[in-house]
Amino acid sequence: MTTDTLTRTAPHTGKRDRSRGRRGRIVSRTAMIVVALGFIFPFIWMLATSLKSTEEVFSTGASFLGSHLEWSNYNTAWTVIPFGRIIVNSFIVALAGALLTTTVSLLSAYAFARFRFRFRDRLFLLFLGTLVLPHEVLVIPLYIMMNKLGLVNSLVALIVPFAFGAFGAFLIRQFLLTLPLDYEEAARIDGAGSFRILWSIILPLVQAPLAVVGVFSFIDYWGSFLWPLIVINDNTQGTIPLGLSMFSGERGTDWGPLMAASTLAVLPSLVVVIVLQKQLVKGISMGGLGGR
């Protein structure tokens, strides 16, 4: 093949490659939109159902939004149960639990990543082994412990037991293993101790994985149902999942107010995820993949 022939065919090859690239981007974006709609549709259906009367929820031939908008469902959801108090309880439990979980995870990760002690790696593997234990296995011994401590039917019982998990420690430890030791060694030469290094050097560098641990913990505490159901006996100490269960009784389920309450309940978690989405993506991409 001559040089002239190569010169003539090169532009056509470039155009074909660009055309294939555009088609690939269109296909990938279309697929992402379809997947996103699949995830968003349950929320849209919940929102639409919250504006229907109970009779129209399961009726055939009704429109997507019903014959008329039942805004009174939101008033019913707010007044039938102590929804305001339940929201406050959920915020207290979720925020305090997320803060405690991130603090414990950071300290545990720092110890396993930077300190040298006997059987460190074996202890860390044993620590990770707790991830395979389902929460249902732990509720009975945890309830006995909370009962002996006199913490049953209190918000402290909802916060403390599950703040010492291994997931956050693992994620932050893997991120710490990717960080160079130069800054920490320089700080030690200047006389800084372990806690000063943790506060002044490590903490500013681990904001992304801390955001991941905090958001996941917030969502877990916010949506927890089984443990609050067991340890809480007073409706005034209940959280969102317990409040939602109050709409179901012997006479059936009041679906309109239930969907209205569910819509209000999911908004705080949605706002947290949207506000911290950049930190979440960065923390997930950088946190659990490194190590040495």
Side-chain angles (χ1 to χ4, degrees), residues 72-91:
S72 60
N73 287 336
Y74 286 88
N75 183 57
T76 303
W78 192 269
T79 56
V80 168
I81 64 175
F83 201 81
R85 179 58 185 264
I86 288 174
I87 285 285
V88 172
N89 291 342
S90 296
F91 267 112

Side-chain angles (χ1 to χ4, degrees), residues 24-288:
R25 288 192 294 271
I26 292 173
V27 172
S28 62
R29 290 175 182 176
T30 303
M32 286 189 292
I33 291 173
V34 172
V35 173
L37 290 176
F39 280 100
I40 294 174
F41 180 76
F43 180 77
I44 297 176
W45 184 264
M46 179 179 64
L47 181 61
T49 306
S50 69
L51 297 174
K52 291 181 180 180
S53 63
T54 303
E55 293 76 15
E56 288 184 319
V57 171
F58 295 106
S59 62
T60 59
S63 63
F64 186 72
L65 290 176
S67 58
H68 60 280
L69 301 181
E70 289 283 348
W71 294 104
S72 60
N73 287 336
Y74 286 88
N75 183 57
T76 303
W78 192 269
T79 56
V80 168
I81 64 175
F83 201 81
R85 179 58 185 264
I86 288 174
I87 285 285
V88 172
N89 291 342
S90 296
F91 267 112
I92 293 174
V93 171
L95 289 176
L99 290 174
L100 182 59
T101 302
T102 52
T103 301
V104 172
S105 299
L106 177 61
L107 295 175
S108 302
Y110 183 59
F112 281 116
R114 292 295 189 256
F115 293 168
R116 300 289 180 181
F117 52 89
R118 193 177 183 183
F119 304 123
R120 184 191 66 171
D121 295 334
R122 295 181 181 178
L123 286 175
F124 185 68
L125 290 176
L126 182 63
F127 188 41
L128 289 182
T130 59
L131 291 174
V132 303
L133 294 176
H135 287 180
E136 292 78 6
V137 177
L138 303 175
V139 291
I140 294 178
L142 284 176
Y143 180 84
I144 295 174
M145 182 176 65
M146 291 295 106
N147 188 35
K148 289 183 177 180
L149 294 175
L151 297 177
V152 172
N153 202 35
S154 68
L155 297 183
V156 177
L158 299 179
I159 298 171
V160 173
F162 295 102
F164 300 87
F167 170 75
F170 169 75
L171 185 69
I172 299 174
R173 174 186 177 272
Q174 294 304 103
F175 183 81
L176 288 177
L177 292 178
T178 65
L179 299 179
L181 298 174
D182 300 340
Y183 294 119
E184 300 173 46
E185 292 174 352
R188 290 191 184 278
I189 294 175
D190 291 337
S194 298
F195 282 99
R196 180 61 183 274
I197 293 174
L198 176 63
W199 179 262
S200 301
I201 297 176
I202 298 298
L203 187 60
L205 296 176
V206 297
Q207 291 182 359
L210 279 180
V212 175
V213 175
V215 171
F216 283 4
S217 301
F218 183 92
I219 294 175
D220 285 342
Y221 277 103
W222 187 269
S224 178
F225 175 71
L226 179 61
W227 177 241
L229 179 65
I230 293 174
V231 79
I232 297 297
N233 304 317
D234 187 358
N235 291 337
T236 60
Q237 299 294 321
T239 54
I240 287 294
L242 295 182
L244 297 181
S245 66
M246 296 178 189
F247 290 97
S248 298
E250 296 179 357
R251 294 179 297 176
T253 302
D254 202 356
W255 289 104
L258 174 60
M259 292 296 104
S262 301
T263 302
L264 296 175
V266 79
L267 289 179
S269 299
L270 186 63
V271 170
V272 169
V273 172
I274 292 175
V275 171
L276 298 178
Q277 59 179 332
K278 291 184 179 180
Q279 294 291 335
L280 284 174
V281 174
K282 183 179 178 181
I284 293 173
S285 62
M286 299 177 64

